[in-house]
Amino acid sequence: MHDDRAFPATISPVSTPGPEHHSVDSNDQPSPPKSSVPLKRSVYVVYLILLYGAAALYAWVVICILVQRPIGGKGYGPDASDSMLTHPGDGTTLTEDLDASFSRSERYLRAARIVQSLVSVLTIPLTSTVCSQAAVVYIQQRREDNQPTLRQSMALADKGWTDIDLLTKLVFGGWTKYKSGLLLFALFLHLLGAAISPIQQLFLSFHTIKRATGLPVHLTYITDFTDLFPMSDWSGADDGLDATKLRLTLASTVNTDIQPRLWSSSTGTVTLGDKTGETSYSPFQTKSQNTLANITTIADPFWAQLPSGTNTGLVRQFASRINSTAIWENNSAAILPEDCNPSSDAFYLRYEYNSSFSYTVEICMPGNMSQSPWKDQRSRQDISEELYFKMSFSEGFEPQVTPGEYSTKLKLHTTTGYFELPNYENGQVPGPLIENSPFGNNSHSLTTRDLDSDTAWNTLNATTNVSNVKNKGPLLNIAMALFGEGSFADVQHTALAAYANSGIIYPGCIGLVPFITLLDVTYHESPTFYPCLKGTYLESDARIHRDSNVTVYADIAMYFLLFSGVSSGPSSERIQNAFTSAAFLANDMLMMNNFQKQTIGISYDMGADVQKPDISRGGIIFVSILLGLFLICLLALALYSAWVPRWTKTLDSFAMLRIGASISEKTPLLATLHVEGIKSLDETPGWMGNASNGEIGELCLGGERPLAKTMYYAGYNTDHGAQATATTNPPEAIRRKGKLPSSHAHEQRL
């Protein structure tokens, strides 16, 4: 409710100067009496705020800089060494310059954290000091609705912005009695200042990161896809070397062996549940050191030349990768593609035997096998190969097989590309497949092959001369190793046939059948075929009757049965896993069998530990706004308190004692437990004005005239040691020099 009543002016106690205190200067202008004083400004709080603000800004700015880069540097990664190379130190190495730079940044960080702690401790006391200084100036001006009242001025003198009891009264019914503009602003300023440090700690964290130690260290060179296509005229025909090497690898590789070049997009240690569950892992296997036992269950398995898990630290490096996926299924059509015949460019084989039992096996890879499926390019490549099996068996050999025809098909999808090696920036995990080359797309110019001059036939017979093709697809290499010339299926050229015809019976292991160990989860687990060929296999009734070929062809027939899809053979899941494993080994042979120059250089820098603050960009902006707003408001309040000359330094106990003495008739020295009920505190003005029209002003609570900056006001004569009193006859209840009034003295004596 608006209150238009006039408050009675109450004169504050002043000393009464005598005429002897006046003097006249040379210009006949009277000088102010010695018992009067001018109003003066108090500016020390401004210097405190400037010092406090500089400390707060220093700590925050240093932390924000260190979030992005070290002091005087460009970054924590390779940029740091680049900066040192641009501005080398005098007579020092790059490593020494980097060590000195980061040591300096760590000193700055320690200093910033110490200063930030001091600023946090000083925030509330300093803010309260500024508000107390501003309160003196605030009550020197009368405002609308005859405010402030005496109760509101007392709330400022009591530093109500830190008084829990007064704040409670503000919330629960005392709003109109205690509120004032300065009190609300001081309360806002204290809440803002108190919130800054917790919010900083909420957004800010400190991490130990890796920083550059110098120039990256060269590790090795690895094969790029373009390295498979040399610019020389050398044709690069392998003459069956690839198939022979792959055949030996397929025979000697055990599923439980760790494959160092078998990568996965998933990293981490295999759990105990992984090793005891349906998916079986080797006891030595981890998700960064994989085996072929269950390659189809590994997350994104692929081949890369460097050992799995190679970490390049602070340096981003890229490597080539190949991944193949096999799909095994029955060929419901039970027919081979049209070009599966000896006169085409397809890879076509036919094996048959007809004696006491018979079988016919046709194996075909349709398409033009005279050309490599790979292109001389660095972008992603996808190829798809198909391998068909068509078999017919009769009764008459062990194990018994239901006579009939079996037709199956294998599809192998292979993808090439690049990936980013694990490093600190990508979370130390292999990056995803990169479809476009990270090195550019320049490729070599290929020399056109003259097939007529490379072969003895005008029409290329791909089956017998396919070894002349360079950079074959993985499935073609597998088919040649398992079923081509010199394979176990090529019975006329096997060690088993040589022993069968020699008349010598050797009970030991003659040779290893390739691919068998890949079909099994663990070694020696095959239910249908033991991978080690022994001479005892030739001991049979047929051997006694000098027909050892019967036993040899029976072994070959059982080998073909593994790929027939017969129910007594391996499951389709195991066959898919085995062919995916074989494709991995074929890709490994292709990339590691390169005799040309390897062009991808790999470097690393594992870095050194350094502590770094971490805060999001949004956090920096939010905290900076809060800190800037707080410092601006605090500085504005300090300037406000310092700009206006004041009647007292602060609203301390002596200032309130003088105000109380001036209205002693309204506020007698009586006991009370409910200050809220004293109406005189709300009816008495609380601003300080001037009650005199003369040259010497007189301070007055509720004075109509504002205090002037240039006037002198009656004051205590402290220069001569004489102190003025409020009245010549003080109240009887006040003790004077250790004596009591007579009545009280009488009571004391009683």
Side-chain angles (χ1 to χ4, degrees):
M1 180 179 295
H2 184 72
D3 189 2
D4 294 329
R5 66 181 182 276
F7 288 93
T10 305
I11 306 300
S12 62
V14 295
S15 60
T16 305
E20 68 276 11
H21 295 292
H22 293 270
S23 62
V24 180
D25 59 15
S26 58
N27 295 327
D28 296 331
Q29 296 293 332
S31 61
K34 293 183 179 180
S35 58
S36 62
V37 293
L39 303 184
K40 292 186 178 181
R41 296 182 176 91
S42 179
V43 298
Y44 81 95
V45 72
V46 176
Y47 296 109
L48 290 179
I49 295 304
L50 292 176
L51 183 61
Y52 169 85
L57 290 176
Y58 165 81
W60 182 241
V61 169
V62 167
I63 288 176
C64 291
I65 292 175
L66 291 176
V67 168
Q68 305 296 331
R69 58 178 177 83
I71 301 297
K74 290 186 176 181
Y76 292 97
D79 292 342
S81 57
D82 294 342
S83 175
M84 294 300 174
L85 288 174
T86 306
H87 304 87
D90 297 332
T92 58
T93 64
L94 177 61
T95 301
E96 291 173 342
D97 291 339
L98 287 171
D99 290 342
S101 174
F102 283 102
S103 296
R104 181 172 61 252
S105 295
E106 288 184 342
R107 291 194 298 270
Y108 271 95
L109 180 59
R110 285 195 298 269
R113 297 184 70 173
I114 293 173
V115 172
Q116 192 178 50
S117 299
L118 293 175
V119 167
S120 177
V121 171
L122 294 175
T123 296
I124 297 302
L126 188 60
T127 304
S128 184
T129 299
V130 175
C131 294
S132 296
Q133 292 290 313
V136 178
V137 177
Y138 182 80
I139 68 170
Q140 290 182 190
Q141 183 179 0
R142 179 180 180 180
R143 288 166 173 78
E144 295 180 358
D145 298 334
N146 292 320
Q147 291 186 354
T149 65
L150 183 58
R151 189 188 300 274
Q152 292 170 348
S153 296
M154 290 170 59
L156 296 177
D158 292 338
K159 300 181 180 180
W161 47 81
T162 59
D163 189 342
I164 300 298
D165 182 57
L166 190 144
L167 295 178
T168 304
K169 294 175 182 178
L170 275 177
V171 177
F172 299 101
W175 177 262
T176 56
K177 289 185 177 182
Y178 293 96
K179 75 174 182 69
S180 63
L182 181 60
L183 180 63
L184 297 180
F185 185 74
L187 181 59
F188 161 76
L189 206 56
H190 279 74
L191 291 176
L192 180 60
I196 289 177
S197 181
I199 292 176
Q200 280 181 331
Q201 299 307 314
L202 181 64
F203 284 100
L204 182 64
S205 60
F206 293 89
H207 300 288
T208 299
I209 64 168
K210 299 291 185 179
R211 54 90 171 173
T213 58
L215 292 176
V217 180
H218 175 70
L219 178 63
T220 186
Y221 284 99
I222 61 175
T223 303
D224 194 1
F225 295 113
T226 56
D227 297 334
L228 302 176
F229 299 88
M231 299 182 66
S232 64
D233 293 333
W234 176 61
S235 63
D238 61 52
D239 295 329
L241 177 62
D242 288 349
T244 302
K245 291 177 63 176
L246 181 58
R247 184 180 304 122
L248 295 174
T249 301
L250 293 175
S252 60
T253 300
V254 179
N255 271 343
T256 53
D257 291 340
I258 291 176
Q259 299 295 328
R261 289 186 283 273
L262 177 55
W263 287 67
S264 169
S265 60
S266 176
T267 59
T269 304
V270 174
T271 64
L272 182 61
D274 292 328
K275 296 181 179 180
T276 58
E278 295 181 359
T279 303
S280 177
Y281 287 86
S282 163
F284 305 101
Q285 182 179 359
T286 67
K287 290 178 182 176
S288 60
Q289 293 182 330
N290 299 290
T291 70
L292 301 175
N294 291 283
I295 188 174
T296 55
T297 64
I298 298 175
D300 185 25
F302 61 91
W303 176 94
Q305 184 170 339
L306 293 172
S308 175
T310 298
N311 192 324
T312 57
L314 294 169
V315 185
R316 296 186 64 190
Q317 298 284 269
F318 300 88
S320 50
R321 57 165 281 174
I322 310 176
N323 62 282
S324 298
T325 303
I327 301 176
W328 177 262
E329 59 188 6
N330 289 324
N331 183 14
S332 57
I335 58 175
L336 299 178
E338 293 182 0
D339 57 346
C340 288
N341 57 75
S343 61
S344 70
D345 287 340
F347 178 75
Y348 176 78
L349 297 171
R350 179 184 175 91
Y351 292 100
E352 59 182 23
Y353 178 76
N354 189 5
S355 183
S356 58
F357 65 90
S358 63
Y359 64 79
T360 301
V361 177
E362 292 180 278
I363 302 172
C364 177
M365 285 188 65
N368 187 359
M369 297 295 106
S370 65
Q371 295 181 355
S372 171
W374 303 115
K375 297 179 181 179
D376 181 21
Q377 65 184 41
R378 282 176 165 167
S379 58
R380 171 175 175 168
Q381 297 187 58
D382 293 275
I383 66 170
S384 182
E385 300 171 282
E386 293 183 341
L387 179 63
Y388 287 84
F389 296 89
K390 185 178 181 181
M391 309 177 189
S392 63
F393 297 93
S394 67
E395 296 181 356
F397 68 94
E398 298 293 333
Q400 294 294 331
V401 176
T402 302
E405 293 188 352
Y406 300 90
S407 184
T408 54
K409 179 174 66 174
L410 176 73
K411 292 182 180 179
L412 186 68
H413 302 286
T414 303
T415 301
T416 66
Y418 299 87
F419 76 104
E420 185 176 4
L421 290 168
N423 55 68
Y424 298 142
E425 185 174 344
N426 64 10
Q428 305 186 66
V429 296
L433 174 68
I434 300 175
E435 298 194 2
N436 297 317
S437 168
F439 310 111
N441 294 317
N442 294 331
S443 60
H444 304 303
S445 299
L446 293 178
T447 303
T448 304
R449 291 184 56 205
D450 185 356
L451 296 180
D452 290 340
S453 62
D454 287 345
T455 64
W457 301 274
N458 291 333
T459 301
L460 178 67
N461 187 324
T463 300
T464 57
N465 206 38
V466 71
S467 60
N468 288 329
V469 178
K470 182 186 177 184
N471 301 328
K472 294 180 284 292
L475 187 55
L476 179 57
N477 275 323
I478 294 171
M480 292 181 61
L482 296 182
F483 311 110
E485 185 176 357
S487 67
F488 176 67
D490 183 17
V491 67
Q492 300 298 329
H493 300 92
T494 62
L496 185 62
Y499 274 92
N501 296 323
S502 67
I504 300 174
I505 298 179
Y506 174 63
C509 187
I510 299 173
L512 292 174
V513 181
F515 197 74
I516 302 302
T517 55
L518 298 181
L519 287 170
D520 308 322
V521 176
T522 59
Y523 193 58
H524 293 175
E525 196 180 271
S526 175
T528 57
F529 208 98
Y530 187 61
C532 182
L533 292 174
K534 294 184 178 181
T536 54
Y537 286 175
L538 305 179
E539 295 180 3
S540 63
D541 293 339
R543 171 71 174 173
I544 296 174
H545 292 89
R546 302 188 182 279
D547 191 6
S548 57
N549 283 337
V550 174
T551 304
V552 173
Y553 282 102
D555 291 336
I556 300 299
M558 288 190 294
Y559 179 68
F560 282 133
L561 279 173
L562 299 176
F563 308 97
S564 65
V566 65
S567 58
S568 60
S571 65
S572 60
E573 291 78 9
R574 292 311 309 167
I575 294 179
Q576 286 185 165
N577 191 90
F579 273 108
T580 302
S581 301
F584 167 80
L585 297 174
N587 294 330
D588 182 71
M589 181 204 65
L590 173 69
M591 299 298 288
M592 298 301 293
N593 196 29
N594 177 41
F595 298 105
Q596 306 302 314
K597 182 179 179 181
Q598 295 176 310
T599 57
I600 299 180
I602 302 297
S603 301
Y604 70 94
D605 181 3
M606 302 313 295
D609 290 340
V610 62
Q611 193 177 48
K612 169 185 173 295
D614 187 26
I615 185 173
S616 64
R617 184 178 297 274
I620 292 177
I621 295 174
F622 182 64
V623 174
S624 298
I625 291 175
L626 292 183
L627 182 60
L629 178 62
F630 175 70
L631 293 178
I632 290 174
C633 292
L634 199 62
L635 180 60
L637 191 61
L639 292 174
Y640 166 75
S641 68
W643 183 256
V644 179
R646 58 186 59 210
W647 67 277
T648 185
K649 286 186 176 181
T650 183
L651 287 181
D652 54 10
S653 57
F654 183 60
M656 299 311 296
L657 177 65
R658 286 178 282 168
I659 291 176
S662 68
I663 56 171
S664 58
E665 70 280 359
K666 292 186 177 182
T667 57
L669 186 58
L670 300 175
T672 181
L673 296 178
H674 301 285
V675 182
E676 298 83 1
I678 301 177
K679 295 183 179 181
S680 61
L681 299 180
D682 300 314
E683 297 171 351
T684 304
W687 68 86
M688 188 62 64
N690 182 13
S692 173
N693 292 326
E695 295 180 358
I696 305 300
E698 294 182 355
L699 298 179
C700 173
L701 194 63
E704 295 295 331
R705 298 178 181 83
L707 299 182
K709 301 178 181 179
T710 58
M711 287 189 64
Y712 279 75
Y713 292 85
Y716 288 94
N717 189 1
T718 57
D719 293 339
H720 294 80
Q723 295 185 353
T725 58
T727 61
T728 56
N729 297 314
E732 293 295 329
I734 300 178
R735 182 191 296 267
R736 289 180 177 273
K737 298 182 181 180
K739 297 180 180 180
L740 293 173
S742 59
S743 61
H744 291 276
H746 176 69
E747 293 175 0
Q748 183 70 19
R749 288 192 298 271
L750 293 176

